[in-house]
Structure formats: C-alpha cells, structure tokens
Amino acid sequence: MINPEIIIYGLIFIGVIVLVEGIYLTIFGKSISLNSKVNRRLDMLEKGMGREQVLEQLRKEMSQHMHSGSIPFYSLLAEKAKHAGIVFTPMQLILMMGVLAFVAFVGLSVGTEAGLILRVCVSVIMGIGGVYVWVNGKAKKRMSMIEEQLPDAVELMVRSLRVGHPFSSALSVVAQEIPDPLASEMGVISDEAAYGRDVGEALTEMAERLDNQDMRFFAVAVSIQQVSGGNLSEILDGLAKVIRARFKLFRRVKAITAEAKWSGNFLSGFPILAMLMINLIKPDYYDEVKETAVFIPACLVVAAFLIANILVMRKLVNIKV
C-alpha cells in the first residue's frame, strides 16, 4: 500500500510553493502580480515616488540578477529570476530558501517519523526546489505574456506615431495603456530616453536581458531608423505584422503538437501509475520476485527505458520555428 508519508511530503512541498508566493505578494503588494490591472511602475508613481526614484528602483530590480550566477546555490536561479523579473534580491531569495527549508523541516518533524538526517536532506531539497519551481513558473508566465503583448504594443506605437507623436511619447503611451509585464519595461525605456539615454541602446539592452528574438527585431528596427532615417511608423507596422504572424505560427505549432505531447506524457506516466495501482490493490504482488537476484537490475533497466522514453518524446515534439 502507498506510504502516507509520501502524500505528506507532497503536501508540504506544495505548501512551501504557496508560502513563497504569499510572502512575495505580502511584501511587495498586488501590483507585483502578473495578473494585476495596474502595472508596477504606475503603482509606484501613484504612491508618491518621484519619476527618477521609480526609474532607479526598477532598473535595480531588473539588473540585480544578471551578474549573480557566481553566488553559491544561486547559479540555478540567476537566469530564471532575470526572466521572471523577481523583485527579491539574490540574497533574499537564498534567505527564502533557508526559511522554506526550516518550515519544511518543521512540517516533516510533525507529520512524519523519518530520521533526522532524512528530514534535514528532504527539507533542504524542498527549500531549494520550492523556490526554483516558483521562479521557473514565474519566468515562463512572464516571458509568454511579453511575447503576447509585444505585437499590440508595437501597433499602439504605430498609431501614436501616425498622429504625430514622437517615438518617446509613443513609448510613454504604451507604458500607460497596456498591463504589466511589458508596461513597466517600456516605462523604464521611456524614462531613460527622457533623461538622455539613446533609445536604441536601451531597447537592445532590454532585448538581451529578456532574451527575446522579437524584441531584438524591434530594437534593431529602431536603431536602423535612427541612423538611416525613414518612416518609423511604416517600419514598425511591418514589424508588428511579422511578430504577430510568428506568434500565430508558434500557437499553431503548439496546437498541432499538443496531442503528441499528451500522448508522450501518458506513455511516460502510465507505467508509474500502473505500478502505484498494483501496489495499492495488491501490495504483495512483487513478493515472489522481490528477493531474486535480477529484480534490482530489472528495475534499473525499466527506469532507464522510462527516462529514454521521456527524452525521445520531448525531442520528437520540440519543433523549432
């Protein structure tokens, strides 16, 4: 029969992830959430912070994870935290790992009878793993939202340029009219341009930090127009159509491969589910062969085939566009 302690481990791990999200929202407010209707930059301005102070704060938050890969244990998170736009500093994230590990240790001590060494090891894994899963989820959601928002943002710039606004004003309009995460990113570019920084350079830096190909196209288009001249609204209009077409193609490929991905997940997970069901329905099913010499090698071979199946399935459905 399934050991109840395994269920307790799973519940504690889920609780750890929920706890870090709760702490994050409690400290920085609802505007930090990607589902917030008011973007973080406007929220900070409405609370009385000056424009220069807001710019400095957002720039610090956006760059704090870029050069922190050398910190012990943090190299696993640096790239993900940068894409996720996590406001926690690297040291705060490491402290959060320690806090969550302690909470997990207390939960394991109360809910299980595991030995001290096992509880300590599992607690450390849950503390680091919980933060990693949380940051990774944030990064995927944020990058997906930026990719989806970018065509609308560029089209809004095109309309602003066509009615006679300068490009810096078009950036400001985008920063006010669209939600986060792209709104705050564009707001920082707008503020930097207002203080004299080259817009093309700022956009290029943002594209490299986000590691977004469509953003690179946008930055290159603006930089070329600054050097060679031309009708920026027409250039950006064509770029918006290209970005939207690419985004539709990504979605189409995702829809086409969805069935294959679910089939791969099912084929990968079915043997594990079957084993759990057998143990649940008939716990003594493997007693006759468990003590034989080939049982452990056979289990290792099965595990190797399962891992190979997962890798092959992912390779088959990972279509590059």
Side-chain angles (χ1 to χ4, degrees):
M1 191 172 180
I2 300 176
N3 193 335
E5 290 191 356
I6 297 178
I7 300 176
I8 295 175
Y9 290 157
L11 293 176
I12 292 175
F13 185 70
I14 294 172
V16 163
I17 298 175
V18 174
L19 179 61
V20 67
E21 176 71 10
I23 294 173
Y24 191 62
L25 294 178
T26 301
I27 294 176
F28 298 107
K30 292 183 179 179
S31 65
I32 199 68
S33 173
L34 295 177
N35 297 322
S36 176
K37 295 181 180 180
V38 179
N39 69 62
R40 178 166 170 76
R41 175 174 169 272
L42 292 182
D43 183 64
M44 295 168 72
L45 289 172
E46 289 176 358
K47 289 180 179 179
M49 296 179 65
R51 186 178 181 183
E52 186 175 356
Q53 187 179 2
V54 172
L55 173 61
E56 187 64 28
Q57 176 67 25
L58 290 177
R59 289 183 65 183
K60 180 181 178 182
E61 292 174 0
M62 292 173 179
S63 62
Q64 62 187 352
H65 301 288
M66 294 181 65
H67 307 292
S68 304
S70 60
I71 300 176
F73 300 110
Y74 191 72
S75 58
L76 298 171
L77 284 174
E79 192 71 16
K80 299 290 185 182
K82 180 180 68 174
H83 290 164
I86 300 298
V87 182
F88 279 139
T89 65
M91 295 309 299
Q92 286 173 334
L93 275 177
I94 294 174
L95 178 62
M96 184 62 63
M97 292 179 189
V99 171
L100 295 178
F102 175 75
V103 172
F105 178 79
V106 172
L108 291 173
S109 299
V110 173
T112 69
E113 298 179 355
L116 177 62
I117 296 178
L118 179 60
R119 278 181 285 148
V120 171
C121 293
V122 173
S123 299
V124 171
I125 293 173
M126 284 188 176
I128 297 175
V131 173
Y132 179 83
V133 170
W134 176 72
V135 171
N136 185 55
K138 288 278 187 182
K140 287 184 177 179
K141 182 177 180 181
R142 186 169 185 266
M143 295 307 298
S144 176
M145 291 181 70
I146 287 177
E147 290 175 356
E148 187 171 352
Q149 289 175 329
L150 187 56
D152 294 332
V154 176
E155 289 177 350
L156 183 56
M157 292 181 200
V158 171
R159 291 194 292 271
S160 297
L161 292 171
R162 284 177 175 172
V163 298
H165 293 166
F167 184 65
S168 57
S169 297
L171 286 173
S172 180
V173 170
V174 170
Q176 295 177 13
E177 296 298 330
I178 66 173
D180 266 346
L182 191 58
S184 292
E185 294 280 355
M186 290 298 182
V188 169
I189 302 297
S190 175
D191 290 342
E192 288 179 337
Y195 286 110
R197 188 180 185 188
D198 181 72
V199 177
E201 178 186 337
L203 287 171
T204 301
E205 181 182 296
M206 180 179 68
E208 293 303 323
R209 173 166 48 80
L210 297 177
D211 193 22
N212 184 286
Q213 190 63 39
D214 292 333
M215 194 69 73
R216 290 192 182 99
F217 292 156
F218 176 54
V220 169
V222 174
S223 299
I224 291 175
Q225 191 276 337
Q226 287 180 326
V227 175
S228 61
N231 191 330
L232 183 58
S233 63
E234 294 299 325
I235 295 173
L236 294 184
D237 183 48
L239 178 63
K241 293 177 181 177
V242 171
I243 295 174
R244 192 173 294 281
R246 278 168 49 84
F247 183 73
K248 288 182 179 179
L249 181 59
F250 290 147
R251 286 292 182 89
R252 185 176 181 182
V253 170
K254 185 177 180 180
I256 292 173
T257 59
E259 183 179 356
K261 287 182 179 180
W262 278 105
S263 298
N265 292 335
F266 176 78
L267 292 175
S268 300
F270 180 76
I272 299 175
L273 293 175
M275 182 185 67
L276 292 176
M277 290 300 298
I278 290 173
N279 285 331
L280 182 64
I281 297 171
K282 192 175 182 181
D284 59 345
Y285 185 80
Y286 296 106
D287 288 352
E288 295 183 3
V289 297
K290 194 160 50 176
E291 303 299 329
T292 61
V294 298
F295 182 74
I296 299 299
C299 290
L300 295 176
V301 171
V302 171
F305 275 117
L306 283 175
I307 295 173
N309 173 71
I310 293 172
L311 296 176
V312 172
M313 286 294 180
R314 285 190 176 184
K315 193 71 174 178
L316 289 174
V317 299
N318 185 22
I319 300 175
K320 300 295 183 182
V321 180

